[in-house]
Amino acid sequence: MSEAYMCTLFVFVFFFIIYNFYCDKLMWPSLIKKAKEGGLDVIETYVFWNSHEPHYRQYDFTGNLDLVRFIKTVQNEGLKAMLRIGPYVCAEWNYGGFPVWLHNIPGIEFRTNNAQFEHEMKNFTTLIVDMMNHEKLFASQGGPIILAQIENEYGNIMSSYGDDGKKYVDWCVNLAQSYQVGIPWVMCQQDDAPDPMLNSCNGFYCDQFYPNSQNKPKMFKNWGGQIPHRTAEDVAFAVARFFQYGGTYQNYYMYHGGTNFGRTSGGPYITTSYDYDAPLDEYGNLNQPKWGHLKKLHEVLKSIEDVLVNGHRRDVEYGNMVTATIYSHGGKSACFLGNANNSYDASINFQNNQYNVPAWSVSILPDCSNEAYSTAKVNVQTSVMVMKENEAADNDDESYNLKWQWRHEPFEQMKNGKILGNVALSAPQLLDQKVVTNGTTDYLWYITSVNVDDNIWTKKDVQLRINTNGHILHAFVNGKHAGSQYAKNGQYQFSFETNVTLKAGTNEISLLSATVGLPNYGAYFDNVEVGVGGPIHLVTHDESGDEVVKNITNNVWNYKIGLHGENAKHYEMNSLGWLKTGLPTDRIFTWYKTKFNSPVGNDPVAVDLSGLGKGQAWVNGNNIGRYWPTYLADDNGCSSTCDFRGAYTSSKCATGCGKPTQQWYHIPRSFLNDEEENELMGGHPFNIKFATVTIGNICANAYEGNTLELSCHENQVISEFKFVSFGQPQGQCGSFTKSKCEAPNTLQHLKKKCLGKSKCSVHVSEKNLGATGCKVEQNRLAVEAICTIPVNYYAKKK
């Protein structure tokens, strides 16, 4: 990478997003357009090795995996792209993005100075680079890709690999540079990234990060974290403060997280939803106010781009974590007023003017005089999203009178001494689940037989004791369910004990091990064993009460990969053999199927799977992910209020305590048949319902001097105002109250301006809304309105 190219790179203040392009491809144009409207310049995506090479040298770039099409879609919208090849990605993705077959190559060691691993990594990375080169997608060819990444977050764990870790980093650098693609390469979270690689920072706040060379720009990867809510004010504060202290490239993780369809989520125990509380939610809706608040920040920063990039910076310290920053260039100046104190607002005199800087905020003064933006003052609407019950195309309520069919998943694995079905292999030992399944399924059967003749085994209580590496274990003895257990509290190794009854002669013991996403992070995460690790004992007592142990760990174990229904593809549309009568409702290992009509309109579709146990669900043959609504969040740690001030942590502003971690599951419109019925597989006949995701209420509390934009979904209108007050209203959305002073005719003004419309804008000022009589520096306009679909909408659609 030449210095001339880097100088060209510095001309812009870039806003990146990391985007999961492996979502529904029909959503790509809309999502990318919304990102552009939000003020972003560059779309980032990982490249998941295990999705593109699920089996050795068998590649898939079709459908939602069409990487070239995705990059060209970005290009068609006029945006740039960053390609994070990795091929290790983390991303809470199954096995960190590595294909499991890689683990089973003899002599391989992941992410270190190992010839076998480097050979496979080079093969896949070269495949991706050549594909981009062939399509002329690199910026040096006139394409949109301006940055590429190799490896990911290796600096966090490199010390665990000793000298071989450093050698591996050097090898990665040499590999990337050998491609000569004419664009810079990035190493994320790699403080000692060798020149000319760019190093970057991961964290909630990276304003104090500086690259390891003066010739490298300052980059930031903003982790939203696996949390229910991080406030718009706090995200904006982190971004503005980053630019206050010399940042040039801001990357949001995530701007749109989407859905981990199928078995792609890792962890273990990462949910199917990867919403991330991102500016664009899981369904592609604007997450307001976060999207709008950041959009305004981007607009202000871009307006002073030339001064920020080329200007001289000077800081003025006021004490108590309050700093003014002045950028000057070409006779122009731009200023930031930052207050990192999490409790006290600051009143400062800056350049002979008095300013109030709220706690934990940054104010931006593009001309060093007038405040154009404050991270603490949100002047955009809050959209309260709701799940609207399915208005089926024929409006006959058929969606709530679902007709269910079912079929049993057999768990008897042996009959008359013979194994039923296909045995993958047999071995006198317990094997790691990854070794046997190659990652093709969550499920592996461990089957053996035990001969007993002594009365102490047949006439007394016998206990089956199993040590397992989880994540879930189901035990069966002689075709009967003996018990189940799953790992809790992050302890994925656990002991299972249950009482069983043995018969004289041969006894069948069948253990079904299930994983819920393979590990995706940490040194040597690839070697973390899953499945039944043992030891396995049968325990009873003799006549004197002494314990008698039969160790069956080294029995001959027969391995069957996957469930029968998986292998028989019960989830495919129009599969045969389903029963219509005798529907079981409280029985494990049962497949269920029903038909439903597609919801009317274009709003995103979701299905409520509350009331189920654990499993997977398919719609028209498409796997919409793992479900587990019986796994409830902890009862403690939630709050009805959320103070944006102070450093964000994963436990801050949590919601949903005591409720299912995930209740609603995204069904992309492309999975549905518009003119025909749709099939849902894998559910339970009760409590399932379909809905569209739409706006219920919109709220705002905008400061005087701003223009407030109110907007429903395109198929909705503003039908009613529940609250309107211009003055000094108190409270928050859903609980606004009026103050003693307010403009008297604000409600009438908003009704005239907005009722019956999908969107409207209101300039917040006394000139426009009337005098308030409030003796304050700034009045505010508080609004709560209802969005509804017009009564004739469905008639038009039918």
Side-chain angles (χ1 to χ4, degrees), residues 576-608:
L576 303 176
W578 293 83
L579 303 175
K580 296 182 179 180
T581 59
L583 184 74
T585 56
D586 292 303
R587 179 177 177 177
I588 64 171
F589 287 76
T590 304
W591 292 76
Y592 297 96
K593 178 175 78 168
T594 192
K595 292 182 182 292
F596 65 97
N597 292 319
S598 297
V600 171
N602 298 317
D603 285 336
V605 179
V607 58
D608 179 0

mmCIF file of all heavy atoms in Angstrom, residues 576-608:
data_model
loop_
_atom_site.group_PDB
_atom_site.id
_atom_site.type_symbol
_atom_site.label_atom_id
_atom_site.label_comp_id
_atom_site.label_asym_id
_atom_site.label_seq_id
_atom_site.Cartn_x
_atom_site.Cartn_y
_atom_site.Cartn_z
ATOM 1 N N LEU A 576 -44.260 -36.751 3.184
ATOM 2 C CA LEU A 576 -45.362 -37.685 3.431
ATOM 3 C C LEU A 576 -45.236 -38.329 4.812
ATOM 4 O O LEU A 576 -44.223 -38.216 5.478
ATOM 5 C CB LEU A 576 -45.373 -38.758 2.345
ATOM 6 C CG LEU A 576 -45.481 -38.242 0.891
ATOM 7 C CD1 LEU A 576 -45.388 -39.401 -0.091
ATOM 8 C CD2 LEU A 576 -46.764 -37.456 0.700
ATOM 9 N N GLY A 577 -46.302 -39.022 5.218
ATOM 10 C CA GLY A 577 -46.272 -39.820 6.439
ATOM 11 C C GLY A 577 -46.736 -39.100 7.685
ATOM 12 O O GLY A 577 -46.514 -39.585 8.796
ATOM 13 N N TRP A 578 -47.405 -37.961 7.539
ATOM 14 C CA TRP A 578 -47.857 -37.194 8.702
ATOM 15 C C TRP A 578 -49.231 -37.686 9.169
ATOM 16 O O TRP A 578 -50.082 -38.060 8.365
ATOM 17 C CB TRP A 578 -47.926 -35.712 8.360
ATOM 18 C CG TRP A 578 -46.578 -35.109 8.105
ATOM 19 C CD1 TRP A 578 -45.871 -35.138 6.939
ATOM 20 C CD2 TRP A 578 -45.762 -34.432 9.053
ATOM 21 N NE1 TRP A 578 -44.661 -34.500 7.086
ATOM 22 C CE2 TRP A 578 -44.569 -34.056 8.378
ATOM 23 C CE3 TRP A 578 -45.914 -34.092 10.395
ATOM 24 C CZ2 TRP A 578 -43.543 -33.366 9.014
ATOM 25 C CZ3 TRP A 578 -44.894 -33.405 11.027
ATOM 26 C CH2 TRP A 578 -43.722 -33.048 10.341
ATOM 27 N N LEU A 579 -49.439 -37.657 10.492
ATOM 28 C CA LEU A 579 -50.692 -38.098 11.079
ATOM 29 C C LEU A 579 -51.574 -36.901 11.392
ATOM 30 O O LEU A 579 -51.094 -35.867 11.858
ATOM 31 C CB LEU A 579 -50.427 -38.888 12.363
ATOM 32 C CG LEU A 579 -49.511 -40.114 12.229
ATOM 33 C CD1 LEU A 579 -49.227 -40.724 13.593
ATOM 34 C CD2 LEU A 579 -50.142 -41.136 11.293
ATOM 35 N N LYS A 580 -52.885 -37.064 11.190
ATOM 36 C CA LYS A 580 -53.825 -35.973 11.414
ATOM 37 C C LYS A 580 -54.660 -36.145 12.674
ATOM 38 O O LYS A 580 -55.362 -35.232 13.083
ATOM 39 C CB LYS A 580 -54.755 -35.835 10.206
ATOM 40 C CG LYS A 580 -54.027 -35.447 8.926
ATOM 41 C CD LYS A 580 -55.003 -35.265 7.766
ATOM 42 C CE LYS A 580 -54.278 -34.863 6.488
ATOM 43 N NZ LYS A 580 -55.221 -34.675 5.357
ATOM 44 N N THR A 581 -54.591 -37.319 13.296
ATOM 45 C CA THR A 581 -55.375 -37.571 14.518
ATOM 46 C C THR A 581 -54.452 -37.993 15.649
ATOM 47 O O THR A 581 -53.296 -38.361 15.433
ATOM 48 C CB THR A 581 -56.404 -38.684 14.264
ATOM 49 O OG1 THR A 581 -55.721 -39.886 13.864
ATOM 50 C CG2 THR A 581 -57.386 -38.273 13.167
ATOM 51 N N GLY A 582 -54.996 -37.930 16.867
ATOM 52 C CA GLY A 582 -54.226 -38.354 18.032
ATOM 53 C C GLY A 582 -53.075 -37.428 18.356
ATOM 54 O O GLY A 582 -52.021 -37.876 18.828
ATOM 55 N N LEU A 583 -53.271 -36.156 18.118
ATOM 56 C CA LEU A 583 -52.197 -35.182 18.276
ATOM 57 C C LEU A 583 -51.672 -35.171 19.711
ATOM 58 O O LEU A 583 -52.390 -34.840 20.648
ATOM 59 C CB LEU A 583 -52.713 -33.793 17.907
ATOM 60 C CG LEU A 583 -51.686 -32.665 17.917
ATOM 61 C CD1 LEU A 583 -50.770 -32.779 16.703
ATOM 62 C CD2 LEU A 583 -52.400 -31.319 17.896
ATOM 63 N N PRO A 584 -50.370 -35.508 19.943
ATOM 64 C CA PRO A 584 -49.805 -35.437 21.292
ATOM 65 C C PRO A 584 -49.409 -34.002 21.615
ATOM 66 O O PRO A 584 -48.969 -33.251 20.746
ATOM 67 C CB PRO A 584 -48.574 -36.336 21.202
ATOM 68 C CG PRO A 584 -48.164 -36.265 19.767
ATOM 69 C CD PRO A 584 -49.421 -36.062 18.964
ATOM 70 N N THR A 585 -49.569 -33.610 22.879
ATOM 71 C CA THR A 585 -49.274 -32.221 23.235
ATOM 72 C C THR A 585 -48.160 -32.082 24.263
ATOM 73 O O THR A 585 -47.587 -31.012 24.390
ATOM 74 C CB THR A 585 -50.533 -31.543 23.800
ATOM 75 O OG1 THR A 585 -51.013 -32.300 24.913
ATOM 76 C CG2 THR A 585 -51.604 -31.437 22.732
ATOM 77 N N ASP A 586 -47.857 -33.125 25.006
ATOM 78 C CA ASP A 586 -46.805 -33.038 26.007
ATOM 79 C C ASP A 586 -45.836 -34.201 25.844
ATOM 80 O O ASP A 586 -45.544 -34.930 26.793
ATOM 81 C CB ASP A 586 -47.393 -33.039 27.421
ATOM 82 C CG ASP A 586 -48.166 -31.770 27.712
ATOM 83 O OD1 ASP A 586 -47.560 -30.683 27.595
ATOM 84 O OD2 ASP A 586 -49.361 -31.851 28.031
ATOM 85 N N ARG A 587 -45.342 -34.338 24.664
ATOM 86 C CA ARG A 587 -44.493 -35.483 24.359
ATOM 87 C C ARG A 587 -43.216 -35.010 23.686
ATOM 88 O O ARG A 587 -43.265 -34.240 22.726
ATOM 89 C CB ARG A 587 -45.254 -36.441 23.440
ATOM 90 C CG ARG A 587 -44.492 -37.671 23.017
ATOM 91 C CD ARG A 587 -45.405 -38.542 22.176
ATOM 92 N NE ARG A 587 -44.739 -39.718 21.671
ATOM 93 C CZ ARG A 587 -45.342 -40.660 20.957
ATOM 94 N NH1 ARG A 587 -46.634 -40.538 20.682
ATOM 95 N NH2 ARG A 587 -44.675 -41.703 20.523
ATOM 96 N N ILE A 588 -42.086 -35.435 24.204
ATOM 97 C CA ILE A 588 -40.825 -35.036 23.590
ATOM 98 C C ILE A 588 -40.622 -35.804 22.288
ATOM 99 O O ILE A 588 -41.290 -36.806 22.023
ATOM 100 C CB ILE A 588 -39.636 -35.275 24.540
ATOM 101 C CG1 ILE A 588 -39.465 -36.770 24.821
ATOM 102 C CG2 ILE A 588 -39.785 -34.483 25.814
ATOM 103 C CD1 ILE A 588 -38.178 -37.101 25.569
ATOM 104 N N PHE A 589 -39.723 -35.334 21.480
ATOM 105 C CA PHE A 589 -39.345 -35.989 20.232
ATOM 106 C C PHE A 589 -40.544 -36.160 19.304
ATOM 107 O O PHE A 589 -40.887 -37.267 18.890
ATOM 108 C CB PHE A 589 -38.675 -37.342 20.517
ATOM 109 C CG PHE A 589 -37.288 -37.216 21.070
ATOM 110 C CD1 PHE A 589 -37.084 -36.860 22.396
ATOM 111 C CD2 PHE A 589 -36.167 -37.407 20.272
ATOM 112 C CE1 PHE A 589 -35.813 -36.711 22.905
ATOM 113 C CE2 PHE A 589 -34.893 -37.271 20.784
ATOM 114 C CZ PHE A 589 -34.705 -36.913 22.101
ATOM 115 N N THR A 590 -41.179 -35.038 19.028
ATOM 116 C CA THR A 590 -42.329 -35.042 18.134
ATOM 117 C C THR A 590 -42.179 -33.919 17.116
ATOM 118 O O THR A 590 -41.794 -32.802 17.459
ATOM 119 C CB THR A 590 -43.639 -34.843 18.917
ATOM 120 O OG1 THR A 590 -43.741 -35.842 19.929
ATOM 121 C CG2 THR A 590 -44.840 -34.936 17.996
ATOM 122 N N TRP A 591 -42.464 -34.229 15.882
ATOM 123 C CA TRP A 591 -42.493 -33.233 14.817
ATOM 124 C C TRP A 591 -43.935 -32.770 14.629
ATOM 125 O O TRP A 591 -44.865 -33.584 14.649
ATOM 126 C CB TRP A 591 -41.997 -33.826 13.497
ATOM 127 C CG TRP A 591 -40.540 -34.176 13.474
ATOM 128 C CD1 TRP A 591 -39.942 -35.244 14.055
ATOM 129 C CD2 TRP A 591 -39.507 -33.446 12.818
ATOM 130 N NE1 TRP A 591 -38.597 -35.248 13.813
ATOM 131 C CE2 TRP A 591 -38.299 -34.150 13.039
ATOM 132 C CE3 TRP A 591 -39.476 -32.286 12.046
ATOM 133 C CZ2 TRP A 591 -37.077 -33.715 12.524
ATOM 134 C CZ3 TRP A 591 -38.259 -31.854 11.533
ATOM 135 C CH2 TRP A 591 -37.075 -32.564 11.775
ATOM 136 N N TYR A 592 -44.109 -31.467 14.436
ATOM 137 C CA TYR A 592 -45.431 -30.901 14.182
ATOM 138 C C TYR A 592 -45.398 -30.094 12.890
ATOM 139 O O TYR A 592 -44.381 -29.499 12.533
ATOM 140 C CB TYR A 592 -45.865 -29.982 15.330
ATOM 141 C CG TYR A 592 -46.027 -30.676 16.656
ATOM 142 C CD1 TYR A 592 -44.994 -30.674 17.578
ATOM 143 C CD2 TYR A 592 -47.215 -31.312 16.998
ATOM 144 C CE1 TYR A 592 -45.125 -31.303 18.809
ATOM 145 C CE2 TYR A 592 -47.367 -31.933 18.226
ATOM 146 C CZ TYR A 592 -46.317 -31.935 19.122
ATOM 147 O OH TYR A 592 -46.462 -32.556 20.339
ATOM 148 N N LYS A 593 -46.525 -30.064 12.214
ATOM 149 C CA LYS A 593 -46.619 -29.316 10.961
ATOM 150 C C LYS A 593 -47.997 -28.688 10.850
ATOM 151 O O LYS A 593 -49.007 -29.282 11.236
ATOM 152 C CB LYS A 593 -46.380 -30.234 9.756
ATOM 153 C CG LYS A 593 -46.508 -29.530 8.411
ATOM 154 C CD LYS A 593 -46.146 -30.443 7.242
ATOM 155 C CE LYS A 593 -47.248 -31.409 6.899
ATOM 156 N NZ LYS A 593 -47.013 -32.097 5.598
ATOM 157 N N THR A 594 -48.036 -27.464 10.335
ATOM 158 C CA THR A 594 -49.305 -26.805 10.063
ATOM 159 C C THR A 594 -49.157 -25.921 8.833
ATOM 160 O O THR A 594 -48.052 -25.700 8.346
ATOM 161 C CB THR A 594 -49.772 -25.965 11.267
ATOM 162 O OG1 THR A 594 -51.120 -25.571 11.069
ATOM 163 C CG2 THR A 594 -48.902 -24.730 11.461
ATOM 164 N N LYS A 595 -50.282 -25.422 8.347
ATOM 165 C CA LYS A 595 -50.288 -24.492 7.223
ATOM 166 C C LYS A 595 -50.888 -23.171 7.682
ATOM 167 O O LYS A 595 -51.787 -23.142 8.515
ATOM 168 C CB LYS A 595 -51.094 -25.059 6.049
ATOM 169 C CG LYS A 595 -50.458 -26.278 5.390
ATOM 170 C CD LYS A 595 -51.293 -26.756 4.209
ATOM 171 C CE LYS A 595 -50.702 -28.007 3.570
ATOM 172 N NZ LYS A 595 -49.423 -27.727 2.893
ATOM 173 N N PHE A 596 -50.380 -22.077 7.125
ATOM 174 C CA PHE A 596 -50.902 -20.751 7.465
ATOM 175 C C PHE A 596 -50.819 -19.865 6.229
ATOM 176 O O PHE A 596 -50.027 -20.104 5.310
ATOM 177 C CB PHE A 596 -50.102 -20.126 8.615
ATOM 178 C CG PHE A 596 -48.660 -19.831 8.296
ATOM 179 C CD1 PHE A 596 -48.271 -18.560 7.903
ATOM 180 C CD2 PHE A 596 -47.688 -20.822 8.388
ATOM 181 C CE1 PHE A 596 -46.941 -18.279 7.603
ATOM 182 C CE2 PHE A 596 -46.361 -20.550 8.095
ATOM 183 C CZ PHE A 596 -45.990 -19.276 7.701
ATOM 184 N N ASN A 597 -51.668 -18.854 6.204
ATOM 185 C CA ASN A 597 -51.675 -17.915 5.096
ATOM 186 C C ASN A 597 -50.689 -16.780 5.339
ATOM 187 O O ASN A 597 -50.465 -16.364 6.477
ATOM 188 C CB ASN A 597 -53.078 -17.335 4.897
ATOM 189 C CG ASN A 597 -54.059 -18.374 4.412
ATOM 190 O OD1 ASN A 597 -53.742 -19.194 3.558
ATOM 191 N ND2 ASN A 597 -55.255 -18.372 4.982
ATOM 192 N N SER A 598 -50.120 -16.268 4.268
ATOM 193 C CA SER A 598 -49.175 -15.157 4.382
ATOM 194 C C SER A 598 -49.895 -13.910 4.866
ATOM 195 O O SER A 598 -50.961 -13.562 4.349
ATOM 196 C CB SER A 598 -48.525 -14.872 3.028
ATOM 197 O OG SER A 598 -47.767 -15.967 2.586
ATOM 198 N N PRO A 599 -49.322 -13.202 5.845
ATOM 199 C CA PRO A 599 -49.914 -11.937 6.283
ATOM 200 C C PRO A 599 -49.949 -10.924 5.136
ATOM 201 O O PRO A 599 -49.039 -10.866 4.307
ATOM 202 C CB PRO A 599 -48.975 -11.475 7.392
ATOM 203 C CG PRO A 599 -48.327 -12.725 7.888
ATOM 204 C CD PRO A 599 -48.173 -13.588 6.680
ATOM 205 N N VAL A 600 -50.991 -10.133 5.122
ATOM 206 C CA VAL A 600 -51.157 -9.120 4.088
ATOM 207 C C VAL A 600 -50.141 -8.000 4.300
ATOM 208 O O VAL A 600 -49.771 -7.679 5.425
ATOM 209 C CB VAL A 600 -52.594 -8.557 4.133
ATOM 210 C CG1 VAL A 600 -52.751 -7.353 3.213
ATOM 211 C CG2 VAL A 600 -53.585 -9.644 3.760
ATOM 212 N N GLY A 601 -49.702 -7.397 3.211
ATOM 213 C CA GLY A 601 -48.844 -6.222 3.292
ATOM 214 C C GLY A 601 -47.382 -6.552 3.133
ATOM 215 O O GLY A 601 -47.006 -7.672 2.748
ATOM 216 N N ASN A 602 -46.543 -5.551 3.419
ATOM 217 C CA ASN A 602 -45.104 -5.691 3.254
ATOM 218 C C ASN A 602 -44.326 -5.659 4.566
ATOM 219 O O ASN A 602 -43.104 -5.747 4.551
ATOM 220 C CB ASN A 602 -44.585 -4.565 2.342
ATOM 221 C CG ASN A 602 -45.194 -4.628 0.955
ATOM 222 O OD1 ASN A 602 -45.316 -5.702 0.377
ATOM 223 N ND2 ASN A 602 -45.596 -3.478 0.427
ATOM 224 N N ASP A 603 -45.027 -5.490 5.684
ATOM 225 C CA ASP A 603 -44.325 -5.450 6.961
ATOM 226 C C ASP A 603 -43.657 -6.792 7.241
ATOM 227 O O ASP A 603 -44.141 -7.847 6.812
ATOM 228 C CB ASP A 603 -45.295 -5.116 8.097
ATOM 229 C CG ASP A 603 -45.692 -3.651 8.115
ATOM 230 O OD1 ASP A 603 -44.925 -2.827 7.578
ATOM 231 O OD2 ASP A 603 -46.769 -3.330 8.663
ATOM 232 N N PRO A 604 -42.528 -6.777 7.973
ATOM 233 C CA PRO A 604 -41.852 -8.024 8.313
ATOM 234 C C PRO A 604 -42.767 -8.976 9.080
ATOM 235 O O PRO A 604 -43.685 -8.548 9.785
ATOM 236 C CB PRO A 604 -40.684 -7.559 9.189
ATOM 237 C CG PRO A 604 -40.475 -6.129 8.829
ATOM 238 C CD PRO A 604 -41.835 -5.588 8.490
ATOM 239 N N VAL A 605 -42.498 -10.253 8.945
ATOM 240 C CA VAL A 605 -43.331 -11.297 9.543
ATOM 241 C C VAL A 605 -42.544 -12.021 10.630
ATOM 242 O O VAL A 605 -41.339 -12.272 10.495
ATOM 243 C CB VAL A 605 -43.797 -12.301 8.477
ATOM 244 C CG1 VAL A 605 -44.640 -13.413 9.104
ATOM 245 C CG2 VAL A 605 -44.568 -11.589 7.378
ATOM 246 N N ALA A 606 -43.219 -12.350 11.728
ATOM 247 C CA ALA A 606 -42.602 -13.101 12.818
ATOM 248 C C ALA A 606 -43.597 -14.121 13.340
ATOM 249 O O ALA A 606 -44.811 -13.984 13.171
ATOM 250 C CB ALA A 606 -42.160 -12.163 13.940
ATOM 251 N N VAL A 607 -43.069 -15.157 13.978
ATOM 252 C CA VAL A 607 -43.908 -16.174 14.590
ATOM 253 C C VAL A 607 -43.562 -16.277 16.068
ATOM 254 O O VAL A 607 -42.388 -16.273 16.452
ATOM 255 C CB VAL A 607 -43.740 -17.552 13.893
ATOM 256 C CG1 VAL A 607 -42.293 -18.031 13.917
ATOM 257 C CG2 VAL A 607 -44.670 -18.596 14.509
ATOM 258 N N ASP A 608 -44.580 -16.327 16.897
ATOM 259 C CA ASP A 608 -44.440 -16.457 18.342
ATOM 260 C C ASP A 608 -44.380 -17.946 18.679
ATOM 261 O O ASP A 608 -45.352 -18.673 18.478
ATOM 262 C CB ASP A 608 -45.634 -15.789 19.028
ATOM 263 C CG ASP A 608 -45.579 -15.893 20.542
ATOM 264 O OD1 ASP A 608 -44.618 -16.489 21.069
ATOM 265 O OD2 ASP A 608 -46.503 -15.377 21.197
#
